């Protein structure tokens, strides 16, 4: 479970079938396949038959649950090589979805956050979505100076690939941007960097 | 701008029109001609109607444009077997009369995040929708209205909206035969659709049941039941933790009104349980809170750690709030 002192970090759920929904869309990435397998196991045959699964095999920790996911008699399983592709696939699926749909998300914080951005753009409300964090707690970081998004950031200080400034990762998560904020680390005295540390991943 | 005196606005009746055999429309303006307090689509006005020695407090939806506060419009349906407030509005109130009313409050606001707004109304339930559609129309939002009436002589307000919004308005019953089917209207809607229903209890229950059956979640279903408005009930007492004051809430007033009458202030905005501005922490409770707001989540209600003094009450031997 993701328990930190960071107040802005989302509070995640545990994936369980939402019986009030008539249609289900479940999207996961890497280690998120594990909670997804648990979710599908808990579903009735009728729920499985009305479930579309999207799975990205991209993983920071190297876990792949594709063969396990293929065992379920779901309506459709769409596999993607990368997380961004899976989020794009989710956009396509939600564009055609109707009221009465429930969404399940599992994986890294960056994957859940960017998927949630898509769900929000379709007007999905929090009571129609469950999110479960899985795998590493590496952070998605937004550069406050050039707007570049860096995925899988594991250290407190790093060089922004967008503008090459030294950034320090603040413990502030933006749900809207689905990222932590990175700001110039040596703005007071150029070149004088704070001690680097591994983030609590 | 007009200001409330002792919590009441003084409104002059500028015009009365009969729009159906049972419904009159009243156009009201400030006695001194100044701007009236602003409101949003779906708001209602509590009008103080003198009936003999008594004063009835009836809530009527504002149906004029939220973008023009030079006047308010309300529609009053005459209910002969009711509590006589509407009968007094029809039989005693004349153009030029002055009525007292509360500040508008909104228990039925439109969702700011909806991708499509779907209105279902019956009879006089159309009144809040007038202002809601005006608001959405000016914002360029996507909407449609399905309105059921009892016959051609009851359809005047529906025809007005049909003139304004064309195909986005569908009437039922005006021709004596077409019937509104809620399941047909709600089925197959894209994600982010919000439904609003205002009409007889039977219609509200029907829409809510159909929407649930189609897998809609509660956050996308909105309705207004007029009989639930206001805050009346059994008396109780409340202690304000900061001053130690003990305040008695009478059956006819809300917790907020009682606190104000005793000379204390609490933050407030809508006074209708919709905005959450007056949300107050409950420090001690021996008994149960009767949550009547539309603000707190189900889990917040269960913890009994928060209360909305503008509408909610308590059945308790002790209630201490952080105010």
């Amino acid at each position: 479970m993701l328990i930190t002192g960071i107040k802005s970090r989302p509070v995640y759920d545990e994936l369980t079938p939402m019986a009030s929904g008539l249609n289900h869309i479940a999207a996961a990435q890497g280690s998120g396949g594990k909670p997804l397998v648990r979710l599908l196991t808990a579903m009735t045959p009728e729920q499985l038959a009305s479930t579309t699964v999207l799975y990205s095999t991209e993983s920071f920790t190297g876990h792949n649950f594709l063969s396990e996911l293929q065992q379920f008699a779901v309506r459709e399983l769409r596999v993607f090589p990368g997380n961004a592709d899976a989020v794009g696939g989710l956009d396509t699926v939600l564009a055609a979805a109707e009221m009465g749909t429930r969404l399940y998300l599992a994986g890294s914080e960056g994957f859940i956050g960017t998927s949630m951005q898509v769900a929000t753009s379709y007007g999905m409300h929090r009571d129609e979505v469950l999110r479960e964090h899985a795998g590493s707690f590496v952070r998605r970081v937004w550069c406050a100076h050039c707007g570049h998004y860096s995925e899988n950031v594991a250290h407190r200080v790093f060089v922004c690939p967008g503008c090459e400034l030294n950034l320090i990762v603040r413990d502030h998560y933006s749900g809207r941007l689905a990222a932590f904020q990175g700001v110039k680390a040596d703005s007071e005295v150029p070149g004088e960097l704070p001690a680097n540390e591994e983030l609590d991943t | 701008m007009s200001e409330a005196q002792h919590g009441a606005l003084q409104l002059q009746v500028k015009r009365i029109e009969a729009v159906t055999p049972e419904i009159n429309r009243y156009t009201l303006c400030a006695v001194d001609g100044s701007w009236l307090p602003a409101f949003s689509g779906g708001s209602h006005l509590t009008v103080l109607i003198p009936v003999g020695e008594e004063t009835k407090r009836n809530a009527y939806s504002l149906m004029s444009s939220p973008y023009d506060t030079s006047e308010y419009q309300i529609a009053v349906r005459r209910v002969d077997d009711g509590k006589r407030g509407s009968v007094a509005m029809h039989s005693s109130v004349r153009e030029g009369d002055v009525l007292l009313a509360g500040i508008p409050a909104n228990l039925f606001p439109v969702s700011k995040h909806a991708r499509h707004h779907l209105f279902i109304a019956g009879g006089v339930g159309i009144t809040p929708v007038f202002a809601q559609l005006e608001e959405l129309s000016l914002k360029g939002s996507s909407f449609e209205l399905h309105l059921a009436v009892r016959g051609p002589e009851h359809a005047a307000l529906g025809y007005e909206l049909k003139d304004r919004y064309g195909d986005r308005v569908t009437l039922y019953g005006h021709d004596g035969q077409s019937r509104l089917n809620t399941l047909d209207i709600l089925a197959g809607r894209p994600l982010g659709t919000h439904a609003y229903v205002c009409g007889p209890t039977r219609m509200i229950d029907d829409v809510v049941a159909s929407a649930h059956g189609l897998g809609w979640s509660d956050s996308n279903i909105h309705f207004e039941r007029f009989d639930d408005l206001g805050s009346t009930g059994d008396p109780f007492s409340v202690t304000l933790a900061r001053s130690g004051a003990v305040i008695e809430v009478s059956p006819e007033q809300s917790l907020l009104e009682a606190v104000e009458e005793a000379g204390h202030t609490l933050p407030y905005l809508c006074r209708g349980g919709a905005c959450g501005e007056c949300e107050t922490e409950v420090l001690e409770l021996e008994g149960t809170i009767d949550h009547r707001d539309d603000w707190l989540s189900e889990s917040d209600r269960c913890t009994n750690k928060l209360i909305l003094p503008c509408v909610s009450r308590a059945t308790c031997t002790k209630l201490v709030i952080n105010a």
Side-chain angles (χ1 to χ4, degrees):
Chain A
M1 272 320 259
L2 192 49
I3 299 167
T4 72
I6 304 173
K7 278 201 237 168
S8 54
R9 201 164 219 174
V11 175
Y12 294 99
D13 318 294
E14 200 169 282
L15 300 190
T16 77
M18 291 183 269
S20 59
L22 300 191
N23 273 292
H24 307 269
I25 298 168
Q29 156 277 330
S31 301
K34 192 175 179 182
L36 206 53
V37 166
R38 202 189 62 235
L39 169 74
L40 298 176
T41 306
M43 280 187 166
T44 64
E46 292 75 30
Q47 286 169 333
L48 284 175
S50 56
T51 298
T52 297
V53 176
L54 299 93
Y55 185 62
S56 158
T57 51
E58 178 183 334
S59 169
F60 187 72
T61 46
H63 291 108
N64 188 329
F65 292 85
L66 181 57
S67 57
E68 277 141 284
L69 289 169
Q70 284 166 334
Q71 306 306 311
F72 294 94
V74 295
R75 178 174 51 201
E76 191 185 0
L77 170 64
R78 299 190 188 191
V79 184
F80 301 88
N83 295 346
D85 306 314
V87 174
L90 180 64
D91 197 317
T92 307
V93 171
L94 290 183
E98 295 178 349
M99 289 295 293
T101 301
R102 297 294 181 272
L103 177 64
Y104 309 82
L105 302 171
S108 69
E109 196 158 55
F111 177 76
I112 293 175
T114 47
S115 298
M116 202 60 208
Q117 286 178 321
V118 173
T120 305
S121 78
Y122 284 100
M124 290 198 87
H125 194 267
R126 278 292 288 120
D127 61 4
E128 297 167 304
V129 186
L130 286 178
R131 314 176 289 187
E132 181 165 339
H133 185 271
S136 164
F137 298 146
V138 287
R139 298 187 188 180
R140 182 172 190 256
V141 178
W142 171 76
C143 173
H145 308 283
C146 73
H148 182 86
Y149 289 94
S150 300
E151 303 288 339
N152 304 330
V153 175
H155 290 88
R156 180 66 69 188
V157 181
F158 74 107
V159 177
C160 175
C163 60
E164 297 185 348
L165 289 176
N166 289 304
L167 297 185
I168 184 163
V169 181
R170 295 188 60 230
D171 283 346
H172 175 78
Y173 183 83
S174 161
R176 187 176 64 84
L177 300 176
F180 282 86
Q181 187 186 54
V183 297
K184 189 165 155 50
D186 53 352
S187 51
E188 298 295 331
V189 185
E192 192 176 297
L193 293 173
N196 206 348
E197 58 171 351
E198 201 164 312
L199 293 167
D200 52 346
T201 57
Chain B
M1 194 184 84
S2 250
E3 296 208 353
Q5 292 176 350
H6 306 294
L9 293 167
Q10 286 194 300
L11 302 174
Q12 186 151 38
V13 181
K14 195 167 147 189
R15 197 164 62 248
I16 303 177
E17 308 154 72
V19 288
T20 79
E22 292 172 348
I23 301 172
N24 279 355
R25 174 160 50 195
Y26 298 78
T27 302
L28 312 167
C29 58
V31 170
D32 60 4
S34 60
W35 297 105
L36 293 163
F39 66 96
S40 49
S43 296
H44 66 269
L45 190 68
T46 302
V47 180
L48 280 59
I49 310 166
V51 178
E53 294 294 296
E54 281 180 86
T55 300
K56 299 286 179 191
R57 291 167 179 267
N58 287 17
Y60 297 109
S61 294
L62 287 164
M63 59 187 299
S64 47
S65 169
Y67 298 97
D68 177 6
T69 54
S70 64
E71 57 183 39
Y72 291 156
Q73 283 185 331
I74 56 171
V76 180
R77 174 167 170 251
R78 183 187 175 112
V79 185
D80 286 314
D81 54 357
K83 294 181 194 162
R84 293 177 294 139
S86 67
V87 174
M89 283 295 289
H90 275 249
S91 57
S92 311
V93 174
R94 296 283 171 261
E95 289 181 358
D97 286 359
V98 174
L99 291 169
L100 292 178
I103 303 286
N106 200 343
L107 289 176
F108 195 38
V110 293
S111 163
K112 291 183 173 59
H113 304 289
R115 291 168 73 218
H116 184 64
H117 304 264
L118 184 58
F119 292 88
I120 300 173
V124 76
I126 191 60
T127 53
V129 182
F130 263 80
Q132 289 169 320
L133 295 191
E134 181 83 1
E135 186 176 322
L136 294 174
S137 173
L138 276 158
K139 284 179 181 162
S141 306
S142 166
F143 64 83
E144 67 188 79
L145 163 67
H146 298 265
L147 171 65
V149 296
R150 276 180 294 147
E153 71 277 23
H154 297 280
L157 294 173
Y159 290 136
E160 274 186 35
L161 290 173
K162 188 100 184 136
D163 282 346
R164 283 190 207 174
Y165 305 116
D167 288 346
R168 287 183 282 185
V169 176
T170 308
L171 298 180
Y172 304 83
H174 60 297
D175 50 6
Q177 45 181 333
S178 55
R179 283 184 64 83
L180 181 153
N181 182 312
T182 56
L183 209 51
D184 288 347
I185 292 170
L186 294 168
R189 295 294 179 169
L191 289 179
T193 304
H194 282 246
Y196 306 83
V197 53
C198 190
T201 300
R202 198 181 60 249
M203 176 183 249
I204 294 174
D205 293 345
D206 184 33
V207 169
V208 173
S210 297
H212 282 163
L214 291 165
W216 290 47
S217 65
D218 285 331
S219 54
N220 292 54
I221 310 168
H222 313 269
F223 52 85
E224 180 155 75
R225 298 183 199 271
F226 277 107
D227 37 332
D228 282 349
L229 284 183
S231 177
T232 56
D234 292 333
F236 61 102
S237 64
V238 58
T239 305
L240 306 184
R242 292 180 205 166
S243 60
V246 179
I247 289 162
E248 301 299 328
V249 184
S250 76
E252 289 298 317
Q253 61 185 175
S254 68
L255 203 173
L256 175 61
E257 286 164 348
V259 168
E260 288 174 340
E261 193 182 86
H264 303 270
T265 54
L266 283 176
Y268 71 85
L269 213 58
C270 75
R271 301 181 83 94
C275 74
E277 183 71 17
C278 68
E279 180 185 280
T280 307
E281 197 184 346
V282 174
L283 300 175
E284 281 183 64
L285 172 71
E286 284 169 20
T288 55
I289 295 178
D290 175 9
H291 292 288
R292 298 183 181 185
D293 60 275
D294 296 298
W295 171 255
L296 295 176
S297 67
E298 208 45 54
S299 52
D300 280 342
R301 285 168 205 274
C302 294
T303 62
N304 275 339
K305 292 288 181 202
L306 296 168
I307 187 168
L308 266 72
C310 66
V311 288
S312 297
R313 309 181 71 85
T315 307
C316 60
T317 49
K318 187 172 195 182
L319 172 64
V320 183
I321 62 172
N322 189 8

